């Protein structure tokens, strides 16, 4: 029972990240894409115990380096992740 | 003829899950682009295809649920009036986030007569029962 939550905007720009985190359950996963990858250094993400992923090319485009609790994945792994999730919620 | 039959069969094999339960999560204030209007359109269209639709209002979405808003005073179409149509489409499960209302200094009140007021934790616990969750 696990939901993949996709956040695609910067948490300093709007409250999509916060809304997602409010409803993020313990076994859920968080995937950051597009400007959402800026959230790897957002204070609210640092304390999460859930698995966090970010698209590698989107990070590279913004010079965002690998962070402790965020795993960078490629598009193929993204597809795998969404296939294995019970459902996907895109916060947009 | 046979090829079209084949493709129809393939399509069925590829989508074994029958999607029936939709959660539509409104997170935007009434005049935040067209998100509220688009969300309502989606809910009514899904319901007209006899899908089971539940509406959630969280974050700034709770502003959509407040009474006596006069969109025409800023030359906008009053799509909120269409909320009255929800019951004719059998959309009866309407959930408002109590935490979001409180944060914004709004009373536990709305244009919906039988809305349910839930905490973020309670909404989180409801989400797994839906097949598809859409955010607007």
């Amino acid at each position: 029972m696990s939901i993949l939550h996709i956040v695609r905007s910067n948490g300093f720009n709007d409250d999509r990240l916060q809304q997602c985190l409010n409803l993020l359950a313990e076994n859920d996963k968080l995937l950051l894409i597009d400007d959402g990858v800026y959230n790897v250094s957002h204070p609210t993400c640092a304390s999460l115990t859930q698995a966090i992923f970010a698209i590698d090319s989107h990070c590279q485009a913004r010079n965002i380096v690998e962070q402790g609790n965020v795993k960078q994945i490629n598009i193929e792994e993204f597809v795998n992740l969404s296939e294995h999730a019970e459902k996907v919620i895109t916060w947009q | 003829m046979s090829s079209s039959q084949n493709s129809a069969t393939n399509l069925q094999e590829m989508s074994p899950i029958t999607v029936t339960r939709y959660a539509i999560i409104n997170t935007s204030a009434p005049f935040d682009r067209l998100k509220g209007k688009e969300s309502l359109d989606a809910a009514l269209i899904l319901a007209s295809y006899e899908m089971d639709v539940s509406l959630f209002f969280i974050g700034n979405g709770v502003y959509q649920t407040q009474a006596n808003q006069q969109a025409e005073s800023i030359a906008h179409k009053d799509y909120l009036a269409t909320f009255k149509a929800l019951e004719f489409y059998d959309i009866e499960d309407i959930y408002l986030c109590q935490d979001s209302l409180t944060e914004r200094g709004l009373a536990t009140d709305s244009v919906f007569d039988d809305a349910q007021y839930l905490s973020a934790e309670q909404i989180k616990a409801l989400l797994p029962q839906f097949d598809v969750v859409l955010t607007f």
Side-chain angles (χ1 to χ4, degrees), chain A residues 1 3 5 15-16 19 21-26 28 86-92, chain B residues 25 27-28 32-33 35 58-60 104 120 123-124 127-128 130-131 133 135-136:
Chain A
M1 191 68 88
I3 300 175
H5 296 258
D15 65 350
R16 306 285 171 229
Q19 284 172 349
L21 298 185
N22 287 346
L23 299 182
L24 191 70
E26 198 47 53
D28 288 353
E86 182 138 348
K87 66 177 148 273
V88 178
I89 303 180
T90 306
W91 294 91
Q92 54 187 349
Chain B
I25 305 187
T27 68
S28 314
D32 181 358
R33 288 157 284 175
K35 282 164 169 277
I58 69 170
N60 281 347
R104 288 162 182 75
I123 293 175
K124 186 196 290 188
L127 287 184
F130 295 95
D131 300 311
V133 181
T135 67
F136 288 88

Side-chain angles (χ1 to χ4, degrees), chain A residues 14-78:
Chain A
D14 59 42
D15 65 350
R16 306 285 171 229
L17 174 68
Q18 193 52 54
Q19 284 172 349
C20 165
L21 298 185
N22 287 346
L23 299 182
L24 191 70
E26 198 47 53
N27 294 323
D28 288 353
K29 297 184 172 76
L30 176 63
L31 172 66
L32 306 169
I33 68 174
D34 297 331
D35 267 3
V37 298
Y38 285 119
N39 297 322
V40 299
S41 48
H42 196 283
T44 55
C45 279
S47 55
L48 290 181
T49 55
Q50 288 87 348
I52 310 177
F53 304 89
I55 301 291
D56 54 4
S57 56
H58 298 187
C59 290
Q60 285 151 19
R62 295 166 179 82
N63 190 24
I64 289 166
V65 294
E66 191 101 45
Q67 303 259 336
N69 64 338
V70 180
K71 186 179 186 329
Q72 292 199 9
I73 60 171
N74 61 30
I75 295 292
E76 208 170 299
E77 292 168 299
F78 169 21

Side-chain angles (χ1 to χ4, degrees), chain B residues 53-114:
Chain B
V53 177
S54 297
L55 296 187
F56 292 80
F57 294 88
I58 69 170
N60 281 347
V62 296
Y63 288 123
Q64 292 185 37
T65 68
Q66 301 302 294
N68 302 320
Q69 304 193 57
Q70 298 170 30
E72 62 277 8
S73 61
I74 50 169
H76 279 247
K77 188 172 176 339
D78 182 18
Y79 78 90
L80 297 176
T82 314
F83 281 154
K84 294 194 190 80
L86 289 173
E87 61 174 304
F88 300 112
Y89 286 79
D90 292 326
I91 298 176
E92 285 157 354
D93 295 326
I94 297 172
Y95 304 98
L96 273 66
C97 179
Q98 179 65 62
D99 299 340
S100 306
L101 286 165
T102 307
E103 276 172 1
R104 288 162 182 75
L106 301 172
T108 303
D109 191 20
S110 73
V111 293
F112 304 111
D113 292 332
D114 44 11

